[in-house]
Amino acid sequence: MMLLKVISLCLLLVYNVNSYKILGVFPIAAVSHQILATKLMETLAEAGHEVTLVSPYPVKNVAKHWKYRNIVLDGIAEEFEDFLKNFNFYGGDNTNPITRIRQVFKMITDMTNNTLSHPKMIELVKSNEQFDALIVEQFNQDGLKAYASIFNCHQIIFSSTGPNSWINPTVGNPQPVSNVPSSFSGNFSRELSFWDRSKNLASNLFEYFIMTFILHPIQDSLVQQICSDCPSVSELHTNASLVLLNSHTSIHHAVPLVPNMAEIGGYFIDPSKPLPKDLQEFMDNAKDGVIYFSMGSNLKSKDLPEATKNGIIKVLGKLKQRVIWKFEEDLPNKPANVLIQKWCPQADILAHPNVKLFITHSGFLSTIETIYHGVPVLAIPVFADQFMNAKKAVAYGYGLKLAYNDPNFSEEALSALLDELLTNPKYHETAKFRSKLYHDRLATPIETLNYWVNYTLRYKGAKHLQVAGVQLPLHQYLLLDVVGFMVAGLVFSLWIVLVLFKRVRMIVKTGSKQKTQ
Ligand SMILES: *[C@@H]1O[C@H](CO)[C@@H](O)[C@H](O)[C@H]1NC(C)=O
Ligand SMILES: *[C@@H]1O[C@H](CO)[C@@H](O)[C@H](O)[C@H]1NC(C)=O
């Protein structure tokens, strides 16, 4: 028995000794993206891999026993901060949507270029160092996948939001237009009406054309500057060995997933830590419960339109609950039941049993944290995927939505929403149900992450998991060639029938003429 134990322990050690060299290139300087990137690479370092993280900020808290190198791309974070300053999130609705999309694409293109042409990256390319895998985020920065070609290693793609039309083509994941809404549009009830399906088709086509004819050629030109014999970006785009999704069926609808996609949604959430003393006391002594209010890291509560902010302050002041508000400056007219904090340990606050409600911008990290802890939400979406997350909260029934820029925004409307969320038990129960689904898994997100990275590299890219559809050109994938052939065949047959019919009629006619003569 003892011997068996020793043998299995040895096997376990041998199994764990599988250590690979992994390069993670994550230049998106937004705080939430960096949290995801650093946690991903830390997890792999903790599992014993030799990790190199390329990031815009220096990484803190690197454990001594990790084999961990951080290449900091100086200059990128500063450019991103300039972008944020000029972006004017809360005024976004007055800007032409095309202008905003162009601003975002330019930011992404610049970030790709600044990474590829950064002296430290040029040096890395020249060093002839070897890697087993490259990890990049799927964020229209496909040019970064050139590193997989340069270092002759496997592509592992990470998606911060889950299966969507950006990530699906990388592994040929089917995305039926009839029932899977495209990334950033669409309806998140389970049934798509005729109109929804039409919009979904238009949106999918639009994304496809933008990607194929605008984004990929731009990325191609960036790659050419550093690697003239790299494959085209369109080729790199559909060459992933593994896709890691920061999603789970407790967070989004059930959709098809091919075998080389792994859901690790929530892997970034640490086990709860004790709260700072002041917060702990504030929450423990809240006999009517606590509302936690945060607009996330990129958006700031202080930048909300003045009238909206004052309305919110008035409404919060009238509640019997206590409120913790992540607010970035002093608030002179702060009501007595409100505690202002410049920074909040969000997940630990949400873990407190007295939390009744989370007023949130519905960013993807906040959404997963609130589901993890089963806290209902009042969603105030402002930007990008936040609208989609807010719609889902409403569709699933664990939240309600409020438009911060609704011309009808009123204290009464906000009061009514808060009252409904705080008194109708339905929201709390649904949030708890989602939380239960979140935790009911075969393996933890971290175990899943480690398993799939090891598995993919152990089988040298795990070609056997790739579906054949990934390599098919679009016209073959959509069977346009077959349909075209069948239509042509049908037309040809009809023509033959018509010709024969005419002939027969003529013969019959001449026959009857001869008879009458
Ligand atoms: C990319 O960066 C290089 C070096 O900074 C610069 O010369 C080039 O013009 C940039 N290309 C684009 C498309 O921005
Ligand atoms: C605002 O309220 C008025 C009156 O209740 C209503 O007619 C109008 O449609 C509302 N506008 C919006 C944008 O909700």
Side-chain angles (χ1 to χ4, degrees):
M1 196 59 199
M2 190 61 197
L3 185 67
L4 248 176
K5 268 193 187 157
V6 171
I7 292 176
S8 54
L9 191 70
C10 288
L11 279 177
L12 198 71
L13 283 176
V14 169
Y15 174 81
N16 276 340
V17 157
N18 262 350
S19 162
Y20 296 104
K21 271 192 79 168
I22 301 176
L23 171 67
V25 183
F26 289 93
I28 300 179
V31 176
S32 46
H33 290 261
Q34 285 304 310
I35 291 175
L36 292 174
T38 47
K39 189 71 194 174
L40 191 70
M41 300 312 277
E42 272 174 36
T43 304
L44 295 171
E46 184 60 35
H49 302 294
E50 197 178 330
V51 162
T52 301
L53 171 61
V54 177
S55 64
Y57 303 105
V59 170
K60 294 176 219 132
N61 309 326
V62 175
K64 280 235 170 63
H65 63 279
W66 291 347
K67 286 173 259 171
Y68 197 102
R69 173 174 53 162
N70 185 200
I71 298 178
V72 182
L73 300 181
D74 33 276
I76 288 196
E78 290 77 356
E79 251 184 53
F80 183 70
E81 273 148 28
D82 285 345
F83 165 80
L84 285 186
K85 262 189 223 131
N86 295 328
F87 200 68
N88 181 20
F89 283 102
Y90 290 111
D93 273 30
N94 303 327
T95 317
N96 179 339
I98 305 282
T99 312
R100 284 183 89 75
I101 292 175
R102 287 177 67 154
Q103 282 173 321
V104 172
F105 282 147
K106 180 172 182 317
M107 181 266 291
I108 290 170
T109 306
D110 288 347
M111 248 182 221
T112 315
N113 191 27
N114 293 342
T115 305
L116 291 171
S117 60
H118 199 283
K120 288 185 189 170
M121 294 310 283
I122 304 255
E123 197 183 315
L124 186 69
V125 168
K126 284 200 185 127
S127 70
N128 275 331
E129 196 171 330
Q130 294 297 302
F131 293 95
D132 296 299
L134 165 78
I135 308 190
V136 289
E137 182 175 350
Q138 188 63 40
F139 212 82
N140 288 314
Q141 297 190 310
D142 292 86
L144 298 178
K145 295 174 185 172
Y147 291 123
S149 163
I150 290 168
F151 296 115
N152 192 21
C153 63
H154 304 292
Q155 270 186 31
I156 297 179
I157 308 297
F158 172 73
S159 163
S160 48
T161 53
N164 61 35
S165 47
W166 287 7
I167 195 96
N168 287 335
T170 65
V171 279
N173 192 45
Q175 182 177 298
V177 178
S178 64
N179 59 81
V180 176
S182 87
S183 309
F184 292 111
S185 66
N187 178 333
F188 292 91
S189 63
R190 289 192 61 101
E191 277 145 38
L192 299 185
S193 66
F194 178 81
W195 177 231
D196 290 328
R197 281 178 283 130
S198 312
K199 271 200 307 196
N200 204 29
L201 178 62
S203 166
N204 271 282
L205 287 174
F206 178 73
E207 281 190 59
Y208 177 80
F209 284 108
I210 294 279
M211 192 178 72
T212 311
F213 299 111
I214 300 182
L215 298 179
H216 282 179
I218 294 177
Q219 296 277 318
D220 265 325
S221 70
L222 302 181
V223 170
Q224 283 302 312
Q225 298 173 22
I226 62 148
C227 173
S228 50
D229 55 355
C230 276
S232 74
V233 166
S234 297
E235 256 173 88
L236 291 167
H237 182 57
T238 53
N239 201 16
S241 295
L242 171 67
V243 163
L244 297 168
L245 300 163
N246 182 30
S247 65
H248 182 248
T249 40
S250 56
I251 305 159
H252 66 81
H253 290 344
V255 290
L257 292 183
V258 293
N260 50 350
M261 293 180 114
E263 291 204 296
I264 58 165
Y267 71 96
F268 63 92
I269 302 177
D270 289 321
S272 297
K273 291 182 292 295
L275 285 165
K277 199 154 168 285
D278 55 336
L279 278 180
Q280 184 74 42
E281 278 176 15
F282 185 80
M283 297 191 81
D284 287 348
N285 299 331
K287 64 177 184 352
D288 293 303
V290 176
I291 296 171
Y292 171 56
F293 184 1
S294 165
M295 294 300 283
S297 45
N298 291 323
L299 295 165
K300 305 253 182 305
S301 291
K302 75 178 170 71
D303 298 336
L304 277 164
E306 204 59 29
T308 312
K309 199 161 64 182
N310 289 332
I312 292 174
I313 291 169
K314 266 204 197 138
V315 172
L316 294 181
K318 288 192 196 129
L319 294 172
K320 58 181 189 202
Q321 285 80 13
R322 289 184 167 185
V323 180
I324 300 173
W325 192 354
K326 179 188 165 275
F327 201 88
E328 302 77 13
E329 62 189 13
D330 288 336
L331 196 60
N333 50 350
K334 172 185 90 66
N337 63 330
V338 176
L339 179 72
I340 299 292
Q341 297 274 297
K342 290 211 167 64
W343 178 86
C344 289
Q346 175 157 305
D348 300 330
I349 291 177
L350 293 174
H352 195 287
N354 282 352
V355 167
K356 296 279 181 266
L357 181 69
F358 181 15
I359 306 178
T360 171
H361 68 310
S362 294
F364 51 82
L365 301 198
S366 296
T367 299
I368 300 179
E369 283 171 343
T370 209
I371 287 178
Y372 182 107
H373 292 293
V375 180
V377 299
L378 175 61
I380 310 183
V382 178
F383 178 64
D385 62 312
Q386 295 162 12
F387 296 102
M388 172 179 81
N389 299 330
K391 274 188 190 166
K392 283 183 189 167
V394 176
Y396 294 157
Y398 66 88
L400 292 174
K401 195 176 84 172
L402 173 69
Y404 75 96
N405 58 354
D406 188 333
N408 283 1
F409 176 90
S410 67
E411 290 159 36
E412 294 74 37
L414 176 60
S415 274
L417 289 177
L418 289 175
D419 191 51
E420 166 72 3
L421 285 161
L422 291 165
T423 54
N424 189 339
K426 165 183 118 176
Y427 301 98
H428 176 78
E429 282 158 16
T430 315
K432 286 290 170 218
F433 170 68
R434 285 275 147 196
S435 175
K436 206 168 160 197
L437 293 181
Y438 175 99
H439 292 282
D440 197 345
R441 309 192 203 189
L442 202 54
T444 67
I446 296 251
E447 285 163 355
T448 310
L449 161 60
N450 281 326
Y451 175 80
W452 280 106
V453 169
N454 267 313
Y455 183 95
T456 304
L457 298 180
R458 189 156 64 240
Y459 294 104
K460 310 222 175 312
K463 275 259 180 242
H464 65 285
L465 293 186
Q466 291 179 4
V467 295
V470 68
Q471 303 295 356
L472 288 184
L474 192 68
H475 70 278
Q476 285 185 25
Y477 189 88
L478 297 177
L479 287 176
L480 295 182
D481 51 348
V482 175
V483 171
F485 178 76
M486 282 162 67
V487 168
L490 198 69
V491 169
F492 183 69
S493 314
L494 280 177
W495 181 74
I496 298 264
V497 168
L498 211 68
V499 167
L500 285 179
F501 183 74
K502 270 189 184 161
R503 280 275 162 85
V504 169
R505 224 169 62 166
M506 222 145 74
I507 292 170
V508 171
K509 253 191 197 161
T510 31
S512 56
K513 255 187 207 158
Q514 275 167 355
K515 241 187 210 166
T516 49
Q517 277 169 0

